[in-house]
Amino acid sequence: MELSRRDFLKLSGLGAGALLFYRPFDRETALAKTLKRAPLHKKVGEKTTICPYCGVGCGAIVAVEGGKVVNIEGDPDHPINRGSLCPKGMSLSSVANNKRRMTKVLYRAPGATVWEEKTWDWAIEQIARKIKQTRDSNWIERDAEGREVNRVEAIASLGSVFPNNEEAYLMSKLQRALGLVWIENEARICVSSAVAANTATFGRGPMTNSWIDLGNSDCIMVIGGNAAETFPNAFKWIMKAKEKGAKLIHVDPRFTRTSAKADIYLRIRTGTDVALVNGMIKYVLDDMERNPEKYNMEYLREYTDASFLVDPRFEFKDGLFSGYDSAKRAYDKSTWKYQLDEKGKPKMDKSLQDPQCVFQLLKKHFSRYDVDTVCKITGASKDVFLKACQTFAATGAKGRAGAIVLSSGACEYTHGTQNVRAYGILQLLLGNIGIAGGGINGVAGAANGLGCSLQGRLFHWFPGALPTPQANQQTLDEYAKTGALRSRMVSLLKAWYGDNATSANDYGYKWLPKRGGVHSFVLLCDAMHEGKIKGLICWGMNPAVSAPHSGRVQEALGKLDWLVVIDLWETETAAFWKRPGVDPRGIKTEVFLLPAASSLEKEGSVCSSARWLQWRYKAIDPPGEAKADLWIITKLALKLKELYSKEGGPNAEAITKLTWDYGDPPDVHRVAREINGYDLKTGKLLSSLTLLKADGTTSSGNWIFCGSYTEEGNLAARRDPSPGPFNIGLYPRWAWVWPLNRRIWYNRASVDLNGNPWDPRRPVIKWDPLSKKWLGDSPDGGAPPIAYGGGYPFIMKKPHGRACLFASELADGPLPEHYETWESPVKNLMSSQQSNPVLKLWEASPKGTVDKYPIQATTFRLVEHMHTGSFTRNLPWLVELQPEMFVEISQELAAEKGIRSGDKIVVESARGKIVAVALVTKRLRPFSINGRLIHQVAMPWSWGYKGLSKGSSANFLTPCVADANTGIPEFRSFLCDIRKA
Amino acid sequence: MPKAMLIDTSKCIGCRACQVACKQWHDLPAEHTEQRGTYENPPELSASTWTRVLFFEDYGEWLFRKHQCMHCAEASCVKVCPTGAAHKEGPFTIIDQEWCIGCGYCVEACPFGAVHREPPRGTARKCVFCIDRVTNGLKPACATACPTGAIQFGERGDLIAYAHRRVAELVASGYSQARLYGEKELGGLAQMYILTKPPSEVGLPEEPQVATSTVLAQWLGGIITAGAMAALPFWLLFRRRRELLEEEKHSKLGGRND
């Protein structure tokens, strides 16, 4: 949207104020010169955009004068940030005006010591040739069992979470058509475990409520996150809730800027969330028995699986659930099941008394987490722990709301999935899911992390999070014979192959690659290190800094034949061949560094953590020869189509038949419309995902976003500022939320069996018996209330519709159990299983022992830097704020080691050592764990060897060990030692 | 009604969006800084850093206070300025860069350490309350940027009334030392604070005093205006300064913040 200054003033409601303001002052102040209306020395506002950093999705307005960005500030009309921005967002103009930006195509020949400048034509031709040559000579038509798989394992793609949706969609479209299976992005190593946990508990992975909705909460518990730093404008809503009397609990190993505003700061040793939250669950279960009137027992009984009976063979003993196979380090999950009746429905005991019902199993499992044990494991103070339990448990009453806010600090553990599972169980016991001011929030951390992932930038997902076809799914029938999955896949194939996709050729399903295994990020790094991957395309991702045991990944990059990096900056990954301590002449990898456009220099949509699809406008041209990803991927696609048309190759039709008619330069709106999809009989845009058909008469590149770009227009660009029904801040006509513009998930759990809100002050939806309609938010499942014969609120949990306290689908157990992290200074007090018995480990990552590395370390983020810092370490105003890599250490440890603040220190783990500045602080303190003093240090992971501010990478020290559900590495806990440098 | 800002330290999360917002709006360059064992940076206000957040740490406590010119009603800088460059415009204290001779009296006189001069221009510079934004109906850059509403901008009277309510709330919720700072100090500040600690514990003077060197300033002012001989070099100086300003304006458009 274009805003003139006049519009801007009008919109911000300040115009009138300005007129009143311009008048002489009172006599008393007349001594002073009269205040004259000075002209603004630069413009304010013009084009709206969405901030490219975190997942809050703040709006900003960009002013351009003389072809230069002169000012960017918060969009005063944006309902989330209302004009404010964090320091990263505030320094956006320095992304546009920055001499460190890449403005030319750069090429590094094998063994060369410097970059050469090249033209785009040359680079596109070269890269397309490399892709074709590597693909064709490493083509896998059939697997060992003779099944047609049409894939290539010698080329990998990494990234991203920053491109617009339309760009990410086209990346997936081209790369899947080429047969790639190694496709991963940052979400894998950031929050994938939270997605797995929430899916197991509720049916869907992402954040349940919205940022604005935090303002409705009575108590917010930030755990495994640091909202003031990672989601600063979400903190606006936390502060608003606090003004209304809400309490803020912060659970963290470090006292951070979030703790500074907390009513209760609960300090725990890193990696002990499960023990802590299990203790809270026990507190609630015990209190529930004594004071059931303080809890919403009806919610528990009707909307969760508490009453379901579990297989009598299920058991739990000494840290192991039934079915453990120690040779495979995996579980046979066949006993983790509900007992089913003759109709296949779970058997129930609504009195919740049957010893085999989930509720009783919970009581048994969590009874072991008594206060003393919890405090011994976590190092938490007993008083503070009990106060936190009491405060958060108070949200269990009807009409009270408690929210959990997390970020990657909850996720990046070998038990990351179980951390978030524990949060989910606690929230269900308290009836906090589906209601205003409740939920589990903050899951995706980057501006378009959720959007890009949903466009298929993860190995196991096609666009729309459709499961990647596997080798045992040779035909469309084998992939999905009927149902929604089939119509979604057929509609995707119609979007990709147009008229070339017919019922006669199974809509081109045969052309798609069929994966044969797991291709997650850490495995990808391993395969690269082993030389199995020959070519890597890196879309804005920076694995040389973000990968665990990053030194090994830097080595692995040198084993590639070719590497293409598309970025705004010369990242550590792009420049790995000239990193400190290596001789470039010995590194044979060819490297192409393609200059990319920033978010200000292109148009498209992004999807925030809260699932809001919002539209960005282009404010200026990219600098020099930099180009938008949309342009780059289109040039590559057209060149590859040309090469395969002329020269042929294995499965060439997958590429030659692919539709790619977006114009030149490509028009982002054409892509957005393809993603939304068409009714192919009428040629009209589809208005809802419910219209998708399996007979080839509809197309939709991504069913999840179907309904976002309709005949009504581009709904992601909507800017209607009205707060919407019940005044709880839904903003239903601002942007668009997937799916079906539903703002609060599982909202059918916010009402009783008759459809009346549990909380009449903050209703989300409400059944109107007269019109027989739901009022309020878009209901999560359109069926009437249960009392009127309708369905249950957790519609993704088929067939029963209840949220799962007991989750049968995870790799490491149906209930959360405490294990120590892979490297830990203490013994597990709960069982003889020291660490998660099914964690994934790679032998290449050496393990440190407590005698050599007695200190427990954790890593963290800062508000001033984004992730690897590849962006923010190039921005002078942010570098001014956080100029150098540092390590936070307690005064006690500093005294022991003779270290003073500002000293250079060496931090060493079994993987390597780094040098950083010591920051001695009272905000970190040693723990007394089971009678032993355990020191803890903490360091940000945002530094590397390139940029305006250079420094050691924390991930040089972190281990290559991961959660069994999603392969998320354990970045947040490892052993180290420190000394003065 | 005079405008003012109210900085509620109980709402500040120390993110420093205000520091960057100030630099962006006023085209101020980043300074070279170092990790000094604190998040606080740059270490001091300067001619190119007009506001910064101070960090105060103790066990179980981390306080943040944004610091800048307080725009005192009885402004020491105005009283000591020999050329009248430092003056009041409404409630705001402004140093006219055209008239500043860089003598540095205001730098010494400011009870808050908020005025600084640096080569090559040598003029005294500080927070200007974003007077161009404010007179055009916009909030100051820092107040616009603040995510948590810790920096509020509005009618001074309204802010004071709000502040008293807020202080009462804070006292009731356990911050027994909560207070409003700046309502009366130095005739009333246009930058007021809600503090949860005594001023001295967050780097503010308990009882700020107006500089008493008014006489000196008048004496100097007399000298300056007295002789015709003195006028000529100053006129030349100002002419040169105008050229420098033009040059600087030009170079800003060319390569800001690179």
Side-chain angles (χ1 to χ4, degrees):
Chain A
M1 180 186 184
E2 302 218 6
L3 291 173
S4 68
R5 188 180 307 149
R6 195 185 141 76
D7 285 338
F8 167 72
L9 291 175
K10 204 168 65 191
L11 282 165
S12 57
L14 287 166
L19 293 174
L20 286 176
F21 189 78
Y22 181 53
R23 59 182 185 153
F25 280 80
D26 302 339
R27 268 241 167 265
E28 285 76 8
T29 52
L31 272 179
K33 277 191 206 170
T34 307
L35 193 55
K36 290 194 198 79
R37 186 166 185 172
L40 283 171
H41 81 277
K42 55 169 85 164
K43 260 170 54 172
V44 174
E46 189 175 22
K47 292 280 173 70
T48 61
T49 188
I50 301 298
C51 178
Y53 292 111
C54 83
V56 173
C58 297
I61 49 176
V62 186
V64 177
E65 282 180 282
K68 282 226 150 203
V69 174
V70 293
N71 185 57
I72 297 181
E73 54 188 72
D75 180 346
D77 301 318
H78 198 284
I80 296 174
N81 60 305
R82 303 188 172 195
S84 61
L85 288 175
C86 74
K88 289 191 295 293
M90 266 328 298
S91 52
L92 258 182
S93 63
S94 62
V95 174
N97 305 317
N98 198 306
K99 282 189 181 150
R100 304 184 64 83
R101 283 280 298 276
M102 293 292 106
T103 56
K104 297 263 187 200
V105 173
L106 297 181
Y107 170 71
R108 185 259 179 186
T113 54
V114 289
W115 293 111
E116 296 167 51
E117 285 184 9
K118 294 287 185 184
T119 64
W120 273 107
D121 283 347
W122 181 88
I124 295 291
E125 173 86 29
Q126 286 293 311
I127 295 165
R129 283 268 164 222
K130 298 262 168 227
I131 291 173
K132 184 167 192 304
Q133 188 269 326
T134 309
R135 176 186 179 273
D136 295 358
S137 55
N138 293 283
W139 186 250
I140 305 173
E141 191 189 316
R142 290 183 183 275
D143 66 6
E145 293 170 48
R147 298 175 297 194
E148 189 176 17
V149 291
N150 288 329
R151 67 180 186 234
V152 57
E153 295 182 9
I155 305 176
S157 169
L158 281 177
S160 186
V161 288
F162 297 111
N164 294 335
N165 280 310
E166 295 72 24
E167 297 173 321
Y169 168 75
L170 290 190
M171 289 172 196
S172 289
K173 184 174 174 179
L174 176 63
Q175 293 184 334
R176 295 296 183 182
L178 285 168
L180 266 63
V181 287
W182 291 111
I183 297 179
E184 282 279 89
N185 75 0
E186 293 89 333
R188 171 74 55 205
I189 58 175
C190 178
V191 294
S192 57
S193 49
V195 172
N198 286 342
T199 305
T201 315
F202 314 119
R204 304 187 189 100
M207 173 164 170
T208 58
N209 292 43
S210 81
W211 297 112
I212 295 170
D213 184 59
L214 289 173
N216 289 320
S217 198
D218 295 308
C219 183
I220 296 144
M221 179 156 75
V222 180
I223 179 166
N226 178 5
E229 305 206 39
T230 53
F231 303 125
N233 276 288
F235 223 79
K236 173 195 298 296
W237 297 98
I238 295 178
M239 292 308 282
K240 279 192 195 291
K242 269 172 71 77
E243 273 179 64
K244 291 186 275 181
K247 297 285 178 215
L248 174 63
I249 303 171
H250 187 219
V251 185
D252 207 275
R254 299 188 310 131
F255 191 95
T256 68
R257 283 178 261 194
T258 300
S259 326
K261 290 289 158 283
D263 298 283
I264 299 171
Y265 167 60
L266 179 52
R267 196 169 73 98
I268 62 165
R269 184 167 59 88
T270 184
T272 61
D273 299 50
V274 166
L276 186 96
V277 180
N278 281 6
M280 288 183 163
I281 291 170
K282 175 179 161 49
Y283 176 94
V284 170
L285 289 168
D286 290 350
D287 195 41
M288 213 172 236
E289 190 151 307
R290 291 189 299 267
N291 307 298
E293 72 287 352
K294 282 165 58 186
Y295 297 88
N296 190 343
M297 298 305 288
E298 199 177 344
Y299 181 108
L300 183 66
R301 202 166 45 237
E302 298 293 340
Y303 297 162
T304 74
D305 63 351
S307 66
F308 293 7
L309 306 186
V310 171
D311 191 317
R313 293 171 301 158
F314 168 77
E315 59 174 9
F316 174 80
K317 222 159 72 188
D318 190 27
L320 290 174
F321 296 93
S322 43
Y324 186 64
D325 181 335
S326 57
K328 288 188 190 156
R329 297 178 44 79
Y331 282 106
D332 164 8
K333 297 185 265 188
S334 58
T335 59
W336 309 356
K337 291 275 184 293
Y338 305 128
Q339 300 177 33
L340 302 179
D341 64 16
E342 52 288 350
K343 287 185 198 150
K345 290 197 172 155
K347 288 186 186 167
M348 288 183 232
D349 170 26
K350 287 215 177 172
S351 72
L352 307 182
Q353 295 306 313
D354 189 304
Q356 274 311 112
C357 81
V358 169
F359 188 68
Q360 292 300 327
L361 291 181
L362 289 191
K363 281 170 89 167
K364 190 172 154 199
H365 184 79
F366 292 104
S367 65
R368 299 150 54 240
Y369 291 88
D370 59 87
V371 181
D372 287 328
T373 308
V374 167
C375 292
K376 265 187 206 159
I377 295 171
T378 61
S381 137
K382 211 163 150 176
D383 293 346
V384 182
F385 170 67
L386 284 172
K387 200 172 161 208
C389 287
Q390 194 184 10
T391 308
F392 201 66
T395 66
K398 279 183 204 169
R400 304 283 294 169
I404 283 182
V405 177
L406 59 83
S407 50
S408 45
C411 308
E412 293 171 341
Y413 291 102
T414 45
H415 53 262
T417 307
Q418 296 298 342
N419 283 345
V420 184
R421 269 281 296 151
Y423 307 168
I425 293 172
L426 181 64
Q427 285 296 63
L428 286 174
L429 292 173
L430 298 174
N432 277 334
I433 299 295
I435 63 168
I440 291 190
N441 303 292
V443 180
N448 201 27
L450 181 56
C452 289
S453 300
L454 292 172
Q455 297 295 2
R457 309 306 296 148
L458 290 163
F459 86 88
H460 66 303
W461 278 356
F462 260 45
L466 299 180
T468 310
Q470 301 200 46
N472 59 1
Q473 298 162 330
Q474 289 283 295
T475 62
L476 193 54
D477 274 353
E478 284 170 15
Y479 179 80
K481 203 164 177 73
T482 55
L485 183 57
R486 187 175 173 104
S487 50
R488 289 164 189 172
M489 182 51 107
V490 171
S491 296
L492 177 140
L493 287 164
K494 287 301 290 181
W496 285 15
Y497 289 107
D499 294 339
N500 297 316
T502 62
S503 59
N505 70 357
D506 226 6
Y507 300 100
Y509 177 82
K510 172 180 132 61
W511 294 323
L512 300 180
K514 316 288 182 301
R515 74 175 165 96
V518 172
H519 298 283
S520 67
F521 176 73
V522 181
L523 290 167
L524 187 157
C525 296
D526 251 30
M528 194 159 66
H529 201 268
E530 288 165 21
K532 290 179 184 161
I533 293 174
K534 311 286 181 200
L536 173 67
I537 305 165
C538 218
W539 302 93
M541 192 164 168
N542 192 11
V545 177
S546 62
H549 195 178
S550 58
R552 194 159 174 274
V553 172
Q554 291 159 12
E555 271 172 39
L557 292 167
K559 301 193 176 180
L560 294 167
D561 291 343
W562 52 269
L563 166 67
V564 180
V565 174
I566 301 107
D567 213 301
L568 280 68
W569 319 97
E570 187 189 15
T571 63
E572 285 78 5
T573 301
F576 81 94
W577 47 276
K578 50 176 176 172
R579 67 186 185 274
V582 301
D583 181 359
R585 287 167 299 186
I587 295 174
K588 300 296 176 209
T589 313
E590 275 182 87
V591 187
F592 301 82
L593 175 49
L594 307 181
S598 79
S599 61
L600 303 166
E601 297 148 9
K602 59 188 183 184
E603 187 175 357
S605 68
V606 282
C607 181
S608 78
S609 307
R611 306 171 275 106
W612 289 32
L613 194 68
Q614 305 192 87
W615 198 260
R616 281 175 176 155
Y617 293 88
K618 179 179 168 177
I620 34 155
D621 287 327
E625 291 169 21
K627 296 286 183 191
D629 292 337
L630 199 76
W631 185 92
I632 299 169
I633 190 80
T634 294
K635 287 286 166 195
L636 259 180
L638 296 177
K639 180 56 76 180
L640 282 159
K641 280 169 76 74
E642 179 194 316
L643 291 181
Y644 277 94
S645 299
K646 279 190 197 151
E647 301 166 16
N651 200 27
E653 287 187 328
I655 302 154
T656 57
K657 305 273 192 208
L658 199 65
T659 62
W660 212 283
D661 49 355
Y662 311 113
D664 189 15
D667 176 5
V668 69
H669 291 271
R670 286 201 211 176
V671 186
R673 288 193 289 261
E674 176 176 316
I675 292 171
N676 180 81
Y678 293 91
D679 179 332
L680 298 171
K681 286 188 291 193
T682 62
K684 295 253 195 264
L685 288 159
L686 294 170
S687 60
S688 164
L689 62 91
T690 55
L691 302 171
L692 293 176
K693 300 233 165 55
D695 62 1
T697 59
T698 58
S699 72
S700 174
N702 187 329
W703 70 274
I704 284 177
F705 296 113
C706 186
S708 65
Y709 202 126
T710 69
E711 293 294 325
E712 265 181 62
N714 180 3
L715 303 193
R718 293 188 296 180
R719 290 177 62 89
D720 182 337
S722 50
F726 308 133
N727 217 19
I728 57 162
L730 295 173
Y731 295 91
R733 287 181 298 280
W734 185 281
W736 183 84
V737 169
W738 70 266
L740 301 166
N741 205 32
R742 189 177 294 148
R743 306 269 157 162
I744 295 182
W745 271 355
Y746 318 114
N747 54 33
R748 294 270 312 279
S750 71
V751 295
D752 64 17
L753 301 183
N754 291 306
N756 295 317
W758 301 118
D759 185 350
R761 288 182 304 141
R762 290 167 292 202
V764 184
I765 58 166
K766 187 180 187 175
W767 179 254
D768 178 19
L770 291 176
S771 64
K772 299 203 166 106
K773 274 191 183 141
W774 289 103
L775 308 176
D777 193 10
S778 159
D780 200 345
I786 294 158
Y788 294 79
Y792 285 83
F794 292 86
I795 57 170
M796 302 302 288
K797 282 289 171 194
K798 294 187 172 91
H800 52 73
R802 267 76 154 203
C804 296
L805 298 160
F806 182 90
S808 54
E809 65 198 68
L810 295 173
D812 49 357
L815 295 170
E817 169 66 5
H818 169 74
Y819 305 106
E820 286 295 322
T821 53
W822 186 60
E823 283 186 346
S824 164
V826 295
K827 282 243 167 301
N828 183 4
L829 287 184
M830 293 308 295
S831 70
S832 61
Q833 295 298 319
Q834 173 65 10
S835 52
N836 193 325
V838 297
L839 62 78
K840 291 183 188 170
L841 57 93
W842 287 268
E843 285 173 15
S845 198
K847 185 174 188 176
T849 50
V850 74
D851 52 329
K852 252 181 114 176
Y853 305 105
I855 301 168
Q856 195 168 14
T858 189
T859 59
F860 63 87
R861 289 189 283 170
L862 290 161
V863 68
E864 298 87 356
H865 286 297
M866 187 68 187
H867 296 170
T868 69
S870 58
F871 248 82
T872 49
R873 281 186 290 107
N874 283 305
L875 309 183
W877 288 325
L878 294 176
V879 168
E880 175 192 274
L881 297 179
Q882 288 289 6
E884 287 180 89
M885 171 65 183
F886 60 92
V887 181
E888 292 187 351
I889 62 177
S890 69
Q891 294 195 312
E892 291 84 349
L893 181 59
E896 207 175 279
K897 301 275 183 180
I899 293 167
R900 283 177 312 182
S901 243
D903 284 351
K904 286 260 170 15
I905 60 166
V906 176
V907 187
E908 186 171 359
S909 81
R911 273 73 57 191
K913 58 185 168 193
I914 63 167
V915 177
V917 179
L919 190 157
V920 180
T921 175
K922 292 175 179 168
R923 297 180 294 101
L924 233 70
R925 304 194 67 186
F927 288 95
S928 170
I929 302 293
N930 213 10
R932 259 180 62 212
L933 194 72
I934 303 292
H935 284 297
Q936 189 182 259
V937 297
M939 61 202 92
W941 60 276
S942 299
W943 269 268
Y945 44 77
K946 293 300 293 180
L948 180 61
S949 162
K950 300 178 184 67
S952 305
S953 299
N955 281 330
F956 206 71
L957 307 174
T958 53
C960 228
V961 55
D963 168 283
N965 293 293
T966 68
I968 195 167
E970 190 154 76
F971 290 117
R972 300 300 179 139
S973 173
F974 59 93
L975 291 178
C976 72
D977 199 8
I978 65 168
R979 62 175 186 273
K980 217 167 147 171
Chain B
M1 279 276 278
K3 297 276 177 186
M5 280 197 259
L6 175 67
I7 299 165
D8 186 345
T9 59
S10 75
K11 286 187 185 168
C12 176
I13 53 171
C15 77
R16 300 183 283 181
C18 50
Q19 279 184 229
V20 180
C22 179
K23 294 219 163 188
Q24 182 192 234
W25 183 254
H26 298 288
D27 300 317
L28 299 172
E31 296 190 46
H32 175 79
T33 56
E34 286 170 4
Q35 172 49 260
R36 302 168 295 124
T38 169
Y39 284 22
E40 191 181 292
N41 252 327
E44 295 292 343
L45 291 179
S46 72
S48 48
T49 299
W50 298 352
T51 186
R52 66 186 199 107
V53 176
L54 280 66
F55 288 62
F56 301 92
E57 179 184 309
D58 209 335
Y59 291 114
E61 184 178 274
W62 207 6
L63 287 176
F64 317 109
R65 183 178 68 78
K66 178 185 179 295
H67 189 64
Q68 71 293 305
C69 166
M70 306 297 167
H71 299 273
C72 323
E74 292 162 21
S76 299
C77 54
V78 173
K79 296 225 180 321
V80 302
C81 181
T83 66
H87 65 280
K88 295 298 289 183
E89 281 190 35
F92 311 134
T93 311
I94 302 296
I95 298 173
D96 191 330
Q97 296 298 302
E98 300 283 324
W99 286 91
C100 176
I101 56 169
C103 71
Y105 289 126
C106 55
V107 176
E108 297 303 320
C110 175
F112 298 103
V115 193
H116 291 265
R117 58 185 174 141
E118 260 165 40
R121 298 184 58 206
T123 53
R125 307 195 73 185
K126 63 165 198 67
C127 163
V128 297
F129 215 101
C130 287
I131 197 157
D132 61 338
R133 291 176 66 93
V134 166
T135 55
N136 283 281
L138 296 169
K139 291 195 276 186
C142 57
T144 305
C146 181
T148 59
I151 309 173
Q152 293 178 43
F153 168 75
E155 301 293 336
R156 191 163 190 274
D158 296 349
L159 291 176
I160 289 170
Y162 166 81
H164 285 300
R165 287 200 303 276
R166 176 75 183 155
V167 165
E169 267 171 37
L170 287 167
V171 170
S173 61
Y175 294 95
S176 59
Q177 294 172 305
R179 58 165 286 188
L180 170 62
Y181 183 93
E183 183 181 2
K184 301 270 160 57
E185 283 79 358
L186 298 176
L189 311 179
Q191 297 269 15
M192 298 175 288
Y193 290 97
I194 291 174
L195 303 176
T196 53
K197 285 272 188 175
S200 59
E201 290 184 32
V202 289
L204 284 170
E206 294 278 352
E207 286 174 15
Q209 301 294 321
V210 188
T212 49
S213 47
T214 357
V215 182
L216 172 73
Q218 280 161 357
W219 178 75
L220 269 173
I223 297 268
I224 289 159
T225 46
M229 287 300 285
L232 185 65
F234 276 106
W235 180 76
L236 289 170
L237 186 74
F238 290 137
R239 197 177 60 172
R240 172 69 186 138
R241 184 160 318 293
R242 208 162 294 133
E243 284 164 16
L244 283 171
L245 277 169
E246 282 302 313
E247 269 172 40
E248 195 190 54
K249 208 168 165 187
H250 200 71
S251 69
K252 263 181 209 163
L253 284 174
R256 186 169 58 82
N257 190 50
D258 294 334

